[in-house]
């Protein structure tokens, strides 16, 4: 009987694959066509994907017929995976996967239906936020359900010089709880958090402008969903500055809008982009599986 090889050994023995990486939009996004993620990637193919992820910030892997475990295995090539605080929406048998879905079964939600309702970078409320997230389409609506991405490098680059200087030394608070009660009031997806869950998501402080640890590029790192205040500024000044930065970070020239195709897997860089779920009509079903890879503490 053949021995079962660990993932690293499988990758070492993997055959090269023939695939293309094609740009999707000027500001960000590329699609990867012809790559099969159910097979382990060899070192050269992995290096090509890694480079493309750094260059394009959002990669769309077309037509991936992969199992949840294969999604987990591929995601782990980029780093340790993070487990979401809403344990009730973790996939049975694969707790590294958060189910993102508006589907109710027997009146109960099977996933987090309002994930991405506000612009955000995943898990920015942690000391070590997410490097990147991978979202694999399981069931898509006939209309709606798009995901928008905003390039925070180009958003930063386009700021007036005076504003760049003003925000250079600033830090901001991020908390998972910022919009939690507002979302909970209008959706069936937000259970009351236990004391333990609240402890797990203590507020953290991050720089307003972060430096990408692999490319050295600067990016805006504040979001409507999780950033509550700029440290050291009066409440009204902090709010006004955050609103100004939110508006500049979401300008159309920094955006890519992803209209999902069956079996797409999208892998975005949370150090470079923010994202937003555009919304799905209530009567249509949408289900995706998300993994998040742990990143560095922002600097
Ligand atoms: C998310 O914010 O991770 C979910 C995005 C989406 O459902 O389009």
């Amino acid at each position: 009987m053949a021995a079962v090889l660990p993932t690293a050994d499988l990758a070492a023995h993997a055959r090269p694959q023939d695939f293309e990486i094609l740009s999707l939009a000027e500001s960000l996004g590329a699609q990867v066509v012809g790559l099969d993620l159910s097979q382990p990637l060899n070192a050269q193919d992995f290096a090509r994907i890694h480079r493309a992820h750094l260059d394009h910030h959002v990669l769309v892997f077309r037509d991936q017929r992969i199992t949840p475990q294969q999604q987990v295995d591929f995601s782990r090539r980029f780093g340790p995976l993070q487990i979401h605080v809403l344990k009730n929406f973790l996939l049975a048998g694969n707790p590294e996967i958060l189910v993102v879905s508006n589907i109710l079964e027997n009146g109960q939600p099977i996933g987090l239906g309002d994930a991405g309702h506000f612009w955000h970078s995943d898990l920015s409320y942690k000391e070590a936020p997410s490097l990147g997230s991978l979202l694999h389409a399981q069931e898509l609506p006939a209309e709606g359900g798009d995901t928008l991405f905003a390039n925070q490098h180009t958003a930063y680059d386009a700021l007036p010089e005076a504003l760049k200087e003003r925000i250079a030394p600033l830090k901001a608070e991020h908390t998972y709880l910022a919009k939690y009660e507002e979302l909970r009031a209008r959706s069936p997806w937000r259970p009351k958090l236990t004391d333990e869950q609240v402890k797990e998501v203590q507020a953290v402080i991050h720089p307003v402008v972060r430096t990408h640890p692999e490319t050295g590029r600067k990016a805006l790192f504040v979001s409507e969903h999780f950033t509550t205040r700029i440290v050291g500024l009066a409440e009204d000044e902090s709010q006004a500055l955050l609103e100004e930065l939110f508006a500049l970070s979401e300008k159309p020239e920094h955006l890519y809008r992803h209209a999902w195709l069956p079996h797409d897997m999208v892998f975005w860089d949370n150090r470079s982009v923010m994202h937003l779920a555009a919304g799905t009509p209530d009567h249509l079903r949408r289900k995706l599986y998300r993994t998040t890879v742990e990143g560095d503490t922002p600097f």
Side-chain angles (χ1 to χ4, degrees), residues 100 115-116 120 122 135 145-147 260 268 275-277 286 288 290:
V100 172
H120 67 288
D122 282 329
L135 195 58
D146 294 355
T147 308
W260 290 84
W268 65 87
H275 60 285
L276 176 78
R286 181 176 188 265
L288 305 100
R290 193 184 92 183

Side-chain angles (χ1 to χ4, degrees), residues 124-224:
S124 75
Y125 51 83
K126 291 202 165 257
E127 284 294 343
S130 164
L131 172 158
S133 305
L134 299 95
L135 195 58
H136 187 220
Q138 304 292 317
E139 194 172 340
L140 295 172
E143 62 183 271
D146 294 355
T147 308
L148 279 78
F149 296 92
N151 185 333
Q152 296 308 292
H153 295 305
T154 55
Y156 172 78
D157 293 344
L159 296 180
E161 285 307 315
L163 186 52
K164 280 187 186 161
E165 276 170 35
R166 182 176 173 210
I167 63 177
L170 297 182
K171 293 181 186 294
E173 181 182 78
H174 295 238
T175 168
Y176 182 69
L177 305 178
K179 299 275 191 206
Y180 197 86
E181 288 308 318
E182 182 182 333
L183 290 167
R184 187 166 136 73
R186 62 178 188 221
S187 88
W189 295 296
R190 305 268 166 178
K192 185 166 168 40
L193 296 176
T194 62
D195 289 349
E196 206 171 314
Q197 283 171 311
V198 171
K199 245 189 252 155
E200 198 182 316
V201 291
Q202 294 294 305
V204 295
I205 305 292
H206 292 311
V208 168
V209 179
R210 73 177 295 183
T211 305
H212 194 291
E214 295 186 79
T215 65
R217 286 188 74 183
K218 288 185 173 170
L220 274 178
F221 196 61
V222 289
S223 76
E224 278 173 351

